[in-house]
Amino acid sequence: MAISPTTISLFPLKHDQYSQLFSSRNKSMFGLNLATTKSSTIISTKVVSKTSAESLSSMIITRRDKEEAQHLQQEEKSSDEDQTIANIWRELHGEDDWVGMLDPMNPHLRTELIRYGEMAQACYDAFDFDPFSKYCGSCRFTRRTFFNSLGMTNLGYEVSRYLYATSNINLPNFFKKSRWPKVWSKNANWIGYVAVSNDETSKKLGRRDITIAWRGTVTRLEWIVDLMDFLKPINSNKIPCPDPSVKVESGFVDLYTDKDENDRFCKFSAREQVLTEIKRLIELYPNEEISITITGHSLGAALAILNAYDIAETGINIACDGTTMPVSVFSFSGPRVGNARFKERMELLGVKVLRAVNLHDVVPKTPGFFLNENVAPALMKMAEGLPWSYSHVGVELCLDHKNSPFLKATNDPVCSHNLEALLHLIDGYHGKGHRFVLASGRDPALVNKASDFLKDHYLVPPCWRQDQNKGLIRNTDGRWMQQERSKFDDHPADMQQQLKQLGILASDDEQHKKFQ
């Protein structure tokens, strides 16, 4: 599925300055159209156009690329005539640990990876990063219009709940706060969402899919230093675990479990919010086959792995008749989360994790830069009790951005960590030793949405995605002001009851004693 915004708007210059800057030839090249409205004069830059011969896509993708992509699509179609996502979805979600599906790359698995990657990317595209906005730290769109507002109309999922975390922990490069004196929340940040496939999409997928997407970090990597502290037993934060030697990074689990009872948005922890919503959705579809899929990029990938472990350990994915609903993680550029015992516990619980990473990205190499799963087993055994010994979980799909003819051979760590770039690499990957050819027609211009990674001769401006007029509108007096947003959803009225049913609220102490 190729999802991208159709237009962006640029506003740094006046109308007459634009006229001088762009000749008619340049306007044609970039697909620029001047549109004058009562409130403002804007320039809309078409990013994706299947019909225009002079769109960026046609400039970037050569005829040879198109012909080779068509040839590959024909080969994949003929080799997978009897396969659909609906009848192999369990294999696609790791039932056999993706054996034989990564090299060569299974086309259906590529589709799934890109789809879940785009759901993780939606967390960035929807988040209000602007400190001059009174809504900074929130989602820019209402839950009911979320995917439509992002141009993801045909995704086939509906957002059922937003997730919030408290910003009281020391994480300044992840949490964003407004400069306004009166804000939507003083201590909360929007951190992701829960979505469920609609009836039509569920039929195509072969099951009802509950997806949790966690927001990560997109521009700055200082959060690594902010969060990387030490390993601690996961059950010390009241997450059930029978083995006290199972440890996770303290910063990750604090972010997942902390709350602020004085703030209406984070008076329940992210953990409490997501577990109650998953339970509610499972009960909403009692007679259907259900999958639980968690996705995230960067720090969001770490939260996704913690969340998946929690679901399986708590047993929310076990139906009344004893049927186990598969729990899978599609992780993008994620760091290590826990120690070797945590990895073993995840495998024992049957949680499946597929980690897509860029070879040159530093984040997946941390924490545990020196003591990790790559050192000799004997040394790892000796270092098992140390608070700096980490191990990745699941199966890794390692890609190299230097194999893409579209990307600069840069060592910029922010580019190497970029999610849109990683989705671009997944789209062009067909197996080790195979030529890089984009399979789905996903627009390479998306790579530069929030980076400067595409080669300059493709003429795609860096960091091109911007909000129209920085979110300002003209009022009836002709003055520019921030537009008011709809009231934010916080939590269901029966949250306390749901937590009691899960055994999280009333019987925390009993549950903790159970695993001592």
Side-chain angles (χ1 to χ4, degrees), residues 308-453:
Y309 164 84
D310 195 13
I311 292 168
E313 190 72 87
T314 309
I316 295 176
N317 63 319
I318 301 175
C320 296
D321 61 0
T323 304
T324 301
M325 303 165 205
V327 178
S328 305
V329 177
F330 289 100
S331 159
F332 301 90
S333 308
R336 295 184 181 94
V337 176
N339 63 0
R341 295 292 295 152
F342 176 71
K343 172 181 179 291
E344 293 166 6
R345 186 68 186 171
M346 288 275 284
E347 292 170 351
L348 183 65
L349 290 168
V351 177
K352 302 298 182 179
V353 180
L354 180 57
R355 297 180 295 102
V357 302
N358 184 342
L359 174 65
H360 306 282
D361 185 3
V362 67
V363 172
K365 298 177 174 67
T366 57
F369 206 86
F370 299 107
L371 292 175
N372 56 60
E373 70 283 351
N374 296 316
V375 305
L379 181 58
M380 279 296 286
K381 188 68 177 175
M382 292 171 59
E384 194 174 72
L386 295 177
W388 314 284
S389 175
Y390 291 80
S391 184
H392 266 308
V393 301
V395 177
E396 182 176 87
L397 172 62
C398 187
L399 306 170
D400 187 345
H401 73 248
K402 293 183 179 179
N403 290 335
S404 170
F406 299 90
L407 305 181
K408 298 174 182 176
T410 178
N411 293 319
D412 183 346
V414 174
C415 287
S416 299
H417 191 55
N418 185 274
L419 176 54
E420 286 286 7
L422 187 58
L423 297 181
H424 167 77
L425 296 180
I426 292 170
D427 194 21
Y429 175 78
H430 297 270
K432 294 177 182 177
H434 290 252
R435 182 170 176 261
F436 186 95
V437 179
L438 297 176
S440 72
R442 198 169 191 276
D443 196 341
L446 290 167
V447 171
N448 267 18
K449 184 192 287 184
S451 71
D452 185 10
F453 206 177

Side-chain angles (χ1 to χ4, degrees), residues 73 89 95 123 135 206 316 335 393 396 442 464 473 497 505:
Q73 287 171 355
W89 72 265
E95 183 179 56
C123 291
Y135 302 104
I316 295 176
V393 301
E396 182 176 87
R442 198 169 191 276
W464 53 256
I473 60 168
Q497 184 62 32
L505 187 66

Side-chain angles (χ1 to χ4, degrees), residues 1 13 18 23 39 54 70 98 133 145 153 180 185 193 214 243 258 284 326 349 355 371 374 393 401 430 436 441 487:
M1 182 184 298
L13 303 176
Y18 274 121
S23 65
S39 61
E54 296 196 4
Q70 290 172 355
W98 296 281
S133 166
T145 64
T153 309
W180 282 62
S185 171
Y193 61 90
W214 294 93
D243 184 355
D258 277 10
L284 192 62
L349 290 168
R355 297 180 295 102
L371 292 175
N374 296 316
V393 301
H401 73 248
H430 297 270
F436 186 95
K487 183 181 178 182

Side-chain angles (χ1 to χ4, degrees), residues 2 43 105 111 255 298 380 436 446 480 500 504:
I43 292 185
M105 171 63 84
T111 299
L255 179 59
S298 188
M380 279 296 286
F436 186 95
L446 290 167
W480 290 94
K500 287 180 181 179
I504 293 176

Side-chain angles (χ1 to χ4, degrees), residues 63-76:
R63 179 175 295 179
R64 181 188 174 194
D65 290 328
K66 289 181 179 179
E67 290 174 352
E68 187 153 354
Q70 290 172 355
H71 177 67
L72 282 167
Q73 287 171 355
Q74 284 295 109
E75 284 187 343
E76 291 173 348

Side-chain angles (χ1 to χ4, degrees), residues 256 274 300 386:
Y256 182 61
V274 70
L386 295 177

